[in-house]
Amino acid sequence: MDLPTIIQTVANSIVAGSVYAVIAVGLAMAFGVMKMANFAHGEFFMVGAYTVYVFYALMGWPFPAAVLMAIPVVALLGVATERFIFRPTRENVLAGFMATAGLAFIMQVLVGQIWGVGLMRSVPTPYMGAMDLAGARVGWQRVIVIPSAAVMLLALWYFLRHMKAGKALRACAQDPETARLQGININRMTMLAMAISGALAGLAGALMAPIHPVTPYMGHSVILTAFIVVVMGGMDSIAGAIIAAVLLGFIHTFVTTLSDAVTAQMVGVACMAVVLIVRPQGLLGRVKA
Amino acid sequence: MVKKTGISRRDFFTKSSMTIAAAAAAAGGAAFEVPSLIGPAAAQTNEPTGDPIHIGFLAALSGPDAGWGLPGLTGNQLFIDRVNAEGGLLVGNERRPLKMFAFDDEATGSKALQGAKQLVLENDVKFISAIGGNPADATHPYLTKMKVIYASLISTDIKPDRPYLIAGGDVTPRIDMLRPFYHRFVNRDLHRWAVISQDDTIGLTSQAWEVGSALSDGWDVVYDEHYAIETTDFAPVVTAMLATNPDVVSLNLSYPTFVVQIIEQLYLQGYEGLISANYLDTESILQKVPAEFLEGATDSFPLFDDPWWGSPSWQHNFIEDWMARYGPGAPEDVHREITGIDWDHVITLKVWAEGVTLAGTIDPDQVLETMRAQEAIPSILGPATMRGKDMWGIDNMISPPIPINEVRNGTKRVQAQIRFEQWFESRKDEIIKVVEEKGQMHYQR
Amino acid sequence: MTRENWIFAVFLAAVLAAACAAPFMVRPYSLEILIIFMINLILVCSYRIPAMTGDWSLSHVVMMGVGAYTTALISQQWELSILLTVPLSAIVAGIVGYIIVMPMIRTRGFGFFIASFAIGEFVRLTWVKFRDVFGGPRGMIGIPSGEIGAIDLFFPVPKYFFVLVIALICLTIMYRLGRSRIGSTFTAIYKDEELAEAIGINVPHYRALAFATGTFFAGIAGALLAHHLGAIDPKNFDINTMVYLIIWIVVGGSATFWGPIVGLIVMTFAFEWSRPLLEWRPLLFGGILIFFLVFLPGGLESLWGKIRDRLAPRGGGGEGPASSAAADE
């Protein structure tokens, strides 16, 4: 691989890693708080992309405003999912997970019916042109993903560390029983967790809308990667998810460039299998008692 | 930006192997209104006098592949209603109305087989419009036994052991074979041809034919690779291709979603040469790249409101009818723009219908024989023949003239229509040799 | 035998008689549906075997694919009778199942579920990637329908009876397995794994055995499917199909042998009758899945248990249907 290609691939890897990180953190957060495993997380991503399609491409809002709209839309979706699917199945992780698989079907059909199942929806690229980076050219649209992801994750970190609701959330994830005894309302925490989880997935989708083809099935390409990242990082560890996301971003991108996308998928899955055998709790996960 | 040098249009017409009909079309398009046996002139009565003939539509109507199937229902229905307005299809001396039955096969072989059985056993269909691919593989033993004609969009489905499988709606790979020829004349000074497509059967086969053709027309094929169909990031793919410094980048039969992303990357990475593809969805592409970048790009899916066809014409009428019935605000508004797929399935349906009328029967063997014997069957892309023995082992390929469009100011405009057979005849041995080396001839798959 | 068992035996006999008469009484297209139904019957019952030990996987449909691809590969190389390809494919599927469960043996519950999803995808991707061997995305074609002696199984009626016989054999074996000592061991592991270990049961060994047995029978279903379709591709065995399998089990219930069968029957009807809904169908099934998981997690068979309890209350406190896992009917 020559130097420009390496630089190009590194740049692509960082972008990929950033997107994986935002998506996976949402998943890890939901799982950490009361073990909510969301199979429809990819569909949350998809709805975020469609939010931008509707507000930016169809209604002409400025791009940043359309992206921010993804927050309330998908957060609401997250809350509804928690209330109607995860809460009744709280005793059974598997049941909740499979029920969200059903939710994924529903969302795909609804979105397809409302906005059509054509070959793809086109979202204009708001920031055309590319940045020249020592021989590599990265589209501006892709470049802005990196600081956007960083801002989101920093905001999340601040929230969890320094704000009351965030601290309560962490307490709940650490030890729900003790948290309940301390007077924390578990139901409120699970709703909050799903709201944040949804918002993160939606924002990732919104940022990717001009880059990734927008179809009702775009969640498919995201969900397996998201779970690989989360398993590798530790099912409930946010820091683990970020590290694993960047790692997988590099692995996927380099393998795709050197070989092809199918091999990259297989390598990713193989990494996950290795982690499960050698260290089932993931890189930074806690060993279950 | 786009480099173009070369001969004038007039020189090109005299030097290339175009039919006179096409040259006349260049002057106004009227030459393609070959009198149709189904058109109004032949109508005698408005009442059906015979039993209905049932048509099947077996394709993905839901799920990720629905884009290739579902829109086809509108075009087929428009055609069927037009035929029925004259009382039905003329078979012998009877007018038999047409009726269409749809089955969702979700582009999966097992469901397609089930659908084929339902359509034949329950609905007694005689002709099936389909997308093709794995469903074609799964259904052909049954449909061959039941003698039902299966019209795939994909020519690569045609094989000698599938006597009732016809294709040609999607004019691949002939389109991709003729574009190097077109560029050879219009862009005399260019030499380096790069081509990529996805790594499924369609991509592999049609790219093999394109490479063979490019070589036979004197191009240096500097890049000939496939990308995985799961690829979502095309930056590395395009980087590798641009490293070979091509004059022309051809996307062969890349699916529309891939085309958009690849062209976007070409723009971002500073490509300055020509772009050529099977199908350019200009609306989607122009949301990613500025119009100047796409100027001069070529493809072969014409717009039906192109002045090339002249007015009135089958094509212009089709657009008007479609808009009036399925367009925005219309009674059966489908809430989307018209796509190439809306009329893609009609190509073979119309040709078959013409064949039935000519043969005077719906017996599939006789209809196919009659179709093969014709020098010009009226199709919506012009007079077609049924050929293909050299390429696929059996003459089951509907071959209308191939239009080549260039993008001008953001809109595709037909520049030429080329008859495939004459051009192929003089080069076929060379090309087939290349395809064989790549393992893509029908007896190798 | 008890009176209940007599009624049940008569019921079974009636079903069997109907099954034999069916090809001559139903429309030709319905025969097609019945053949697919019986293949799915083998598949859905096979899923229950590892589920008895508490292992729910997302790789089961891929294992069916392993059976199908094995059949395709064998048929390409040698001209073997269908009576050989089916068991051979099943054995391969069983072996592959054993191999892939090994790395997952340290996980349970959700971890096992997710790991099986990933490993299943890995196997499926090898079919996509290694085009020269497996045909890639296009898959493999030209699989013969098989013949037994002079009987050509291409025709629906002989095929129907062939599949019927295989299904009966498989179901009988699986039923007996459930009621055997091994079956009791499986359920013991599910009910209380620590206790099972304490009394000396080699839990990983039995879990792997259950898993491999399940994939063995899934391989049979796959082989039959390959012969039936004549062409297979990776799409037949993707996560979409797996979710539908889960729907059958969830709707029917998995506590008893009959639960999955009931689920399959109900959902097969639902699937065919809902065809007019076209694009809306996946929404319907997504809704069904959610409904059952939230409101009736034990499936329809738990409903049956509740009704029976109402009609003929048992003595000794309320014995819920979920806890009657060992009391196979």
Side-chain angles (χ1 to χ4, degrees):
Chain A
M1 251 180 150
D2 54 4
L3 190 62
T5 313
I6 295 184
I7 299 182
Q8 178 84 56
T9 312
V10 168
N12 290 341
S13 303
I14 301 180
V15 174
S18 313
V19 178
Y20 294 171
V22 173
I23 298 175
V25 162
L27 205 56
M29 157 145 280
F31 195 80
V33 179
M34 300 309 285
K35 295 220 174 355
M36 302 183 285
N38 186 4
F39 198 97
H41 199 68
E43 274 62 41
F44 283 11
F45 171 86
M46 181 263 290
V47 171
Y50 268 88
T51 308
V52 162
Y53 171 67
V54 169
F55 285 102
Y56 174 63
L58 291 183
M59 286 170 52
W61 287 26
F63 183 71
V67 170
L68 288 173
M69 277 307 288
I71 300 182
V73 168
V74 192
L76 211 64
L77 212 55
V79 167
T81 307
E82 190 280 326
R83 181 66 189 82
F84 296 113
I85 295 185
F86 285 124
R87 203 177 294 181
T89 57
R90 198 172 276 170
E91 310 307 308
N92 190 344
V93 182
L94 241 51
F97 185 57
M98 285 320 300
T100 49
L103 179 65
F105 278 4
I106 294 179
M107 288 168 69
Q108 288 162 9
V109 172
L110 282 176
V111 168
Q113 286 305 105
I114 301 176
W115 289 288
V117 280
L119 295 172
M120 74 182 248
R121 295 295 110 197
S122 264
V123 175
T125 303
Y127 309 111
M128 288 196 199
M131 184 170 99
D132 210 315
L133 199 69
R137 294 179 66 101
V138 190
W140 280 117
Q141 195 59 45
R142 281 198 154 83
V143 171
I144 62 168
V145 170
I146 304 175
S148 311
V151 163
M152 283 185 240
L153 294 173
L154 270 163
L156 183 67
W157 172 83
Y158 185 82
F159 172 74
L160 290 174
R161 283 267 136 189
H162 296 290
M163 298 193 58
K164 190 157 163 245
K167 291 198 249 190
L169 205 56
R170 276 169 55 219
C172 189
Q174 289 253 15
D175 190 341
E177 277 316 304
T178 315
R180 186 176 295 151
L181 292 172
Q182 287 183 347
I184 294 177
N185 184 332
I186 302 290
N187 285 344
R188 225 174 262 166
M189 289 300 108
T190 49
M191 265 179 27
L192 182 60
M194 280 305 293
I196 297 177
S197 173
L200 286 171
L203 280 169
L207 284 172
M208 293 302 283
I211 300 174
H212 199 291
V214 175
T215 72
Y217 305 96
M218 63 192 285
H220 279 169
S221 59
V222 152
I223 189 72
L224 182 58
T225 306
F227 272 104
I228 293 178
V229 169
V230 162
V231 166
M232 272 172 63
M235 285 297 304
D236 42 22
S237 162
I238 292 180
I242 297 178
I243 297 176
V246 175
L247 207 62
L248 198 65
F250 272 83
I251 295 176
H252 264 182
T253 310
F254 269 89
V255 176
T256 305
T257 309
L258 290 167
S259 177
D260 61 63
V262 179
T263 314
Q265 280 276 58
M266 291 171 73
V267 169
V269 171
C271 288
M272 168 168 162
V274 166
V275 167
L276 279 168
I277 300 172
V278 167
R279 199 184 151 84
Q281 69 269 30
L283 289 169
L284 294 183
R286 289 166 286 153
V287 182
K288 313 281 183 274
Chain B
M1 286 297 101
V2 177
K3 293 186 198 144
K4 275 180 48 84
T5 55
I7 58 177
S8 70
R9 293 277 170 277
R10 188 173 304 143
D11 283 0
F12 173 52
F13 287 167
T14 50
K15 287 178 186 178
S16 67
S17 50
M18 279 178 64
T19 60
I20 299 187
F32 283 152
E33 206 52 37
V34 176
S36 161
L37 294 164
I38 304 178
Q44 306 289 327
T45 157
N46 277 333
E47 288 307 309
T49 54
D51 295 327
I53 303 178
H54 290 172
I55 314 281
F57 193 91
L58 182 60
L61 301 177
S62 70
D65 291 297
W68 297 105
L70 189 59
L73 287 170
T74 60
N76 275 16
Q77 195 59 54
L78 277 178
F79 173 76
I80 289 175
D81 289 341
R82 207 192 257 188
V83 169
N84 289 348
E86 277 116 42
L89 191 59
L90 183 63
V91 184
N93 49 19
E94 285 187 314
R95 283 245 166 227
R96 303 180 61 175
L98 298 176
K99 188 161 176 208
M100 180 163 66
F101 293 88
F103 188 99
D104 182 2
D105 73 0
E106 298 171 53
T108 317
S110 49
K111 304 210 161 76
L113 184 60
Q114 197 183 344
K117 293 188 181 182
Q118 178 172 35
L119 287 169
V120 170
L121 293 171
E122 305 263 291
N123 303 124
D124 193 28
V125 302
K126 302 295 178 205
F127 174 93
I128 295 181
S129 279
I131 303 173
N134 213 141
D137 295 335
T139 54
H140 94 82
Y142 180 72
L143 290 176
T144 304
K145 174 167 159 264
M146 304 300 285
K147 293 192 166 205
V148 174
I149 294 188
Y150 180 92
S152 164
L153 289 183
I154 311 165
S155 302
T156 51
D157 282 339
I158 302 176
K159 285 193 178 176
D161 62 347
R162 302 175 183 184
Y164 303 110
L165 191 152
I166 64 177
D170 205 6
V171 285
T172 229
R174 285 158 296 145
I175 295 180
D176 309 292
M177 295 164 73
L178 285 171
R179 277 180 290 106
F181 170 70
Y182 174 82
H183 284 289
R184 166 54 55 224
F185 277 93
V186 174
N187 308 107
R188 274 270 186 72
D189 292 348
L190 304 181
H191 301 287
R192 302 169 70 81
W193 188 275
V195 57
I196 53 171
S197 65
Q198 70 276 342
D199 64 355
D200 63 2
T201 312
I202 303 169
L204 286 166
T205 315
S206 61
Q207 188 159 320
W209 289 100
E210 176 175 331
V211 167
S213 309
L215 288 170
S216 78
D217 269 315
W219 288 91
D220 287 324
V221 176
V222 298
Y223 194 77
D224 168 18
E225 298 291 336
H226 296 271
Y227 51 85
I229 205 167
E230 288 83 10
T231 308
T232 49
D233 181 4
F234 283 91
V237 174
V238 172
T239 308
M241 177 166 61
L242 291 183
T244 64
N245 220 352
D247 297 319
V248 180
V249 163
S250 166
L251 303 182
N252 193 258
L253 189 45
S254 294
Y255 297 142
T257 43
F258 302 146
V259 168
V260 175
Q261 294 176 84
I262 297 173
I263 294 186
E264 189 188 14
Q265 280 303 317
L266 288 170
Y267 165 68
L268 291 177
Q269 297 190 27
Y271 176 63
E272 288 184 350
L274 275 177
I275 298 175
S276 192
N278 180 295
Y279 177 41
L280 292 173
D281 177 6
T282 41
E283 260 191 68
S284 300
I285 299 172
L286 289 176
Q287 292 184 323
K288 307 281 181 189
V289 306
E292 314 87 65
F293 183 73
L294 207 56
E295 191 72 10
T298 56
D299 85 340
S300 298
F301 263 72
L303 299 174
F304 274 7
D305 53 2
D306 195 318
W308 173 274
W309 309 112
S311 202
S313 60
W314 202 100
Q315 291 80 5
H316 281 202
N317 293 346
F318 181 85
I319 294 252
E320 278 165 21
D321 289 344
W322 195 94
M323 283 303 188
R325 180 160 170 183
Y326 298 109
E332 293 177 56
D333 189 351
V334 287
H335 301 291
R336 57 171 174 80
E337 316 85 44
I338 190 171
T339 67
I341 304 297
D342 288 279
W343 52 262
D344 215 8
H345 294 270
V346 180
I347 298 182
T348 22
L349 177 59
K350 183 171 192 294
V351 166
W352 171 80
E354 300 275 355
V356 166
T357 303
L358 273 171
T361 167
I362 55 172
D363 172 64
D365 296 300
Q366 291 189 45
V367 172
L368 290 174
E369 268 314 299
T370 310
M371 283 162 71
R372 290 187 190 115
Q374 300 305 308
E375 275 307 310
I377 311 171
S379 86
I380 69 181
L381 284 178
T385 55
M386 207 155 119
R387 296 285 180 267
K389 199 164 199 150
D390 291 311
M391 291 176 78
W392 315 113
I394 182 174
D395 284 325
N396 274 11
M397 176 173 75
I398 315 276
S399 182
I402 309 294
I404 312 267
N405 315 309
E406 280 187 24
V407 178
R408 301 242 160 268
N409 277 334
T411 317
K412 290 195 284 194
R413 284 289 173 247
V414 181
Q415 302 298 319
Q417 268 187 288
I418 309 181
R419 263 309 188 102
F420 177 77
E421 277 67 36
Q422 288 134 298
W423 170 88
F424 184 64
E425 219 20 63
S426 56
R427 292 160 174 71
K428 63 179 178 188
D429 293 323
E430 257 185 273
I431 301 177
I432 290 180
K433 195 149 136 319
V434 173
V435 177
E436 212 171 43
E437 273 165 33
K438 287 167 162 283
Q440 294 299 326
M441 283 303 291
H442 62 89
Y443 40 80
Q444 294 169 306
R445 292 188 283 118
Chain C
M1 286 209 274
T2 67
R3 209 194 90 203
E4 243 178 21
N5 284 359
W6 266 114
I7 298 179
F8 196 67
V10 169
F11 176 69
L12 267 184
V15 167
L16 213 59
C20 292
F24 311 105
M25 291 175 23
V26 300
R27 302 195 315 263
Y29 177 59
S30 307
L31 207 57
E32 173 70 18
I33 302 188
L34 283 173
I35 294 175
I36 300 273
F37 171 78
M38 289 195 291
I39 295 178
N40 287 338
L41 203 56
I42 301 175
L43 182 69
V44 83
C45 290
S46 71
Y47 190 80
R48 184 169 171 265
I49 302 180
M52 278 165 63
T53 66
D55 281 329
W56 284 62
S57 77
L58 281 178
S59 57
H60 206 73
V61 159
V62 172
M63 292 297 113
M64 177 189 193
V66 170
Y69 269 92
T70 308
T71 300
L73 285 166
I74 297 179
S75 305
Q76 233 184 26
Q77 296 288 359
W78 305 296
E79 292 217 3
L80 290 182
S81 155
I82 191 173
L83 295 172
L84 280 178
T85 60
V86 172
L88 270 174
S89 307
I91 292 173
V92 170
I95 295 176
V96 172
Y98 195 82
I99 295 175
I100 71 167
V101 81
M102 275 338 216
M104 303 197 282
I105 212 72
R106 284 175 65 178
T107 58
R108 284 291 249 155
F110 182 70
F112 186 86
F113 207 48
I114 266 293
S116 68
F117 179 28
I119 296 185
E121 260 307 278
F122 186 88
V123 172
R124 207 179 67 86
L125 286 172
T126 57
W127 301 333
V128 176
K129 171 104 185 102
F130 296 109
R131 178 174 301 131
D132 297 329
V133 181
F134 299 109
R138 185 65 179 246
M140 305 188 68
I141 61 176
I143 307 170
S145 327
E147 16 183 67
I148 303 186
I151 309 176
D152 186 353
L153 291 178
F154 180 78
F155 298 99
V157 176
K159 178 178 297 179
Y160 170 85
F161 280 112
F162 177 67
V163 174
L164 179 65
V165 167
I166 303 276
L168 282 173
I169 298 176
C170 290
L171 260 62
T172 310
I173 299 178
M174 289 194 268
Y175 178 72
R176 302 297 293 272
L177 185 69
R179 309 202 75 174
S180 69
R181 268 198 32 178
I182 298 184
S184 313
T185 314
F186 289 163
T187 41
I189 294 175
Y190 182 31
K191 282 194 168 174
D192 194 331
E193 189 168 334
E194 285 178 2
L195 181 60
E197 260 176 15
I199 62 175
I201 296 178
N202 182 348
V203 171
H205 167 75
Y206 275 95
R207 282 176 59 206
L209 185 65
F211 194 85
T213 311
T215 59
F216 175 88
F217 285 104
I220 294 190
L224 289 173
L225 187 70
H227 281 295
H228 180 62
L229 293 181
I232 53 170
D233 72 296
K235 229 170 189 236
N236 284 124
F237 311 108
D238 66 3
I239 187 68
N240 217 46
T241 315
M242 184 69 228
V243 171
Y244 276 95
L245 173 57
I246 300 268
I247 295 182
W248 302 338
I249 311 250
V250 163
V251 165
S254 59
T256 73
F257 178 77
W258 308 103
I261 299 180
V262 169
L264 177 65
I265 295 178
V266 170
M267 291 314 295
T268 303
F269 273 111
F271 199 73
E272 291 306 312
W273 284 347
S274 64
R275 276 198 187 279
L277 293 180
L278 292 182
E279 315 86 77
W280 291 94
R281 278 157 89 221
L283 184 141
L284 174 67
F285 295 110
I288 290 178
L289 186 57
I290 296 179
F291 176 84
F292 273 84
L293 284 169
V294 168
F295 294 112
L296 203 58
L300 288 173
E301 68 175 355
S302 68
L303 209 58
W304 172 247
K306 285 185 190 141
I307 295 176
R308 280 178 61 210
D309 281 352
R310 286 265 185 91
L311 295 177
R314 301 172 206 242
E319 219 187 85
S323 64
S324 66
D328 268 18
E329 240 305 332

